Amino acid sequence: MESVMRSVLQPPTYGNSITILSIDGGGIRGIIPGVILGFLESELQKLDGEDARLADYFDVISGTSTGGLVTAMLAAPNEKKRPLFAAKEIKDFYLDNSSKIFPQESNLLLGHADKLVKAVTGPKYDGKYLHDLLREKLGETKLHETLTNVVIPTFDIKLLQPTIFSSYAMEHHPSLDALLRDICIGTSAAPTYLPAHKFETKDSDGSVREFNLIDGGVAANNPALVAMTQVTKEVSRGNSDFFSIKPLEYSRFIVLSLGTGTPKKEGKYDADEAAKWGIFGWLTSGGSTPLVDVFTHASSDMVDFHLSTIFQTLQSPENYLRIQDDTLTRELSSVDIATDENLKNLVKFGENLLKKPVSRVNLQTGGFEPLNKGTNEEALKRLAETLSKEKRLRDVRSPSRNLTKHQK
C-alpha cells in the first residue's frame, strides 16, 4: 500500500487518551449529527485556528449507514491531503442531495396498494444518484488513504455476518482495503430502501474477495462499541501507536457518540396496530418500514445501555458523551421523507438539540433524563478544550514532531 500523510494528530501513545467519534445510521436524519459536528469543529477552530478539522483530533471516526457517509466526508483526503469536507458543510450536503437520493415525486403519486407491491417486488429507490454522487466525491480513494482511522460496519448478506471495514483490521486483512465509495454504498444499503451492493477487491498477490453488502445498521446502527473493540484488539496485539493499557480499561477512552434521533415516547407504532400486520404491514406502515425501524433503534439503544453502564461503573462518566433525542415526530423520524420542509426542520431540530440539557438513558425506562451537566452545547465546548489539550500534549511528546521541527 502507498504511504500517505494521514493526520496531524500524533498516536495515542504520546498522550493520555484514545479519542473516538461515532455516528449512528438514520438516512436523512444524518443532518442532525451534521449540525452538531459543525458546532464542535467551530469550537476547535476558536482554539486552534480556522484550518482545524475533526480528523485532526479523533483517533477513530466510526459511522454506520448515513453515519458512514459522514465518516468518509470527514476522513477522506482532498487534493491537498486535508479532509474532503469541513464539518459545517455536511448539513448542506444533505440539503442539496437528499431529495435526489430519495426522490419524493414518484412516491407521492403511488397509492397505498402500489407502495405495498413495490415494497415486496424491489427496493423503494434505485440508488443510482447516490452511486454517482459518491463516485464524484470519493473517486478512487481507498480505505488506507483516510486521514485518520475509520471503522465502518456493514453486513454481508451472502455470508450472513457483519463485515467491518476498519483501518486497523485492514492491516491484517488487506482484502478490506476497498474503495471508500463501495464501502459507503454498502453500509447505506438499507433493506427495502436501497439495493444491496456487490463488489470485489484484489490483493497484491492477485487474490480476489467478493463482498455482498447491505446496511451496517443490521449489525451495529450505533458503531461506538465496534470502534472501541477495534482499538482494544490493537492494544492487545501490542500496536506501538497505543500506550500499555488493560484490554477493558475504558477509562482511557474519550467517546463522542451521536445519534440521529428516535420517535417520541408514545412511539410511531403500538401493539394493537402491529398485531394485525403480516409481511406487508411490517414492510410498510405509516409511511415507514417498521421492521427496519425496530432493529436499528434496538441496536443503537443496546450499545448506549452497555457503554453508559461501563463508564458509570468505571467512575468516568464524563469520558462518554452521547447526544441523542427521543422526541422526533412522524415525518422527522423518517429516514427518507426528503421534502424541503422536512429537511429544514431536521436542521432546526439539530440546532435545538444543542440547547437541550445533557441527558443519559435511564437503564430501567429507556427514556432520556437530564443530568446536571449543562447543555449539549456546553458539553461540546468542554470536549473541544479536552481534545485540543490532548492534541497539544501529543505534539510536545512526539519524537517525530520534534524531529520535524529541528529539521526545519
Side-chain angles (χ1 to χ4, degrees), residues 185-297:
I185 292 169
T187 195
S188 302
T192 76
Y193 288 96
L194 290 164
H197 186 51
K198 182 176 181 177
F199 64 92
E200 296 178 343
T201 60
K202 184 180 291 187
D203 291 350
S204 56
D205 64 0
S207 300
V208 175
R209 178 173 176 179
E210 181 183 281
F211 297 91
N212 296 267
L213 304 182
I214 60 172
D215 195 326
V218 172
N221 200 53
N222 174 348
L225 189 57
V226 175
M228 294 176 70
T229 301
Q230 290 291 310
V231 171
T232 302
K233 281 185 179 180
E234 291 306 299
V235 172
S236 65
R237 283 171 172 153
N239 187 324
S240 61
D241 278 354
F242 299 97
F243 38 69
S244 179
I245 63 174
K246 297 176 182 178
L248 293 179
E249 194 180 353
Y250 284 173
S251 60
R252 300 293 291 273
F253 286 81
I254 295 175
V255 179
L256 172 61
S257 176
L258 302 180
T260 57
T262 64
K264 293 179 71 171
K265 284 192 175 181
E266 57 265 29
K268 294 174 70 173
Y269 319 108
D270 60 44
D272 289 337
E273 180 184 6
K276 303 171 186 176
W277 293 341
I279 188 171
F280 294 112
W282 280 102
L283 289 176
T284 174
S285 180
S288 189
T289 307
L291 192 61
V292 176
D293 285 346
V294 167
F295 70 66
T296 55
H297 290 311

Side-chain angles (χ1 to χ4, degrees), residues 140-176:
E140 300 301 305
T141 302
K142 286 192 168 185
L143 179 60
H144 78 270
E145 296 177 273
T146 57
L147 298 172
T148 190
N149 299 293
V150 302
V151 175
I152 301 177
T154 66
F155 190 87
D156 194 305
I157 194 68
K158 189 171 184 178
L159 300 177
L160 286 180
Q161 68 179 32
T163 297
I164 311 299
F165 289 91
S166 160
S167 300
Y168 299 117
M170 176 194 68
E171 300 294 334
H172 310 282
H173 304 284
S175 61
L176 293 174

Side-chain angles (χ1 to χ4, degrees), residues 312-356:
Q312 290 178 60
T313 302
L314 294 173
Q315 297 184 336
S316 55
E318 68 283 351
N319 285 24
Y320 174 62
L321 176 59
R322 171 72 169 168
I323 299 181
Q324 174 69 308
D325 191 274
D326 59 355
T327 62
L328 290 175
T329 54
R330 278 183 176 262
E331 285 200 349
L332 283 176
S333 66
S334 168
V335 300
D336 68 330
I337 299 181
T339 61
D340 288 343
E341 180 182 8
N342 200 42
L343 294 173
K344 290 175 182 177
N345 285 337
L346 284 169
V347 173
K348 292 177 184 176
F349 188 92
E351 293 169 346
N352 291 335
L353 184 54
L354 286 169
K355 306 296 183 183
K356 288 190 174 184

Side-chain angles (χ1 to χ4, degrees), residues 1-22:
M1 297 176 191
E2 297 179 13
S3 176
V4 299
M5 182 186 78
R6 295 180 66 81
S7 169
V8 296
L9 181 62
Q10 299 299 308
T13 192
Y14 301 119
N16 291 331
S17 304
I18 300 167
T19 55
I20 294 176
L21 167 62
S22 173

Side-chain angles (χ1 to χ4, degrees), residues 78-131:
N78 62 19
E79 66 279 358
K80 296 180 180 179
K81 303 301 181 187
R82 293 294 291 149
L84 190 62
F85 281 75
K88 66 181 180 182
E89 297 172 326
I90 295 172
K91 175 186 70 176
D92 289 335
F93 174 88
Y94 280 90
L95 292 175
D96 293 341
N97 296 293
S98 293
S99 63
K100 299 169 187 173
I101 297 171
F102 304 115
Q104 302 296 293
E105 294 80 8
S106 59
N107 292 311
L108 292 174
L109 296 175
L110 290 176
H112 185 65
D114 291 328
K115 289 181 181 179
L116 290 176
V117 172
K118 186 169 177 57
V120 175
T121 58
K124 198 171 180 181
Y125 307 98
D126 61 22
K128 185 178 184 304
Y129 180 84
L130 178 62
H131 290 214

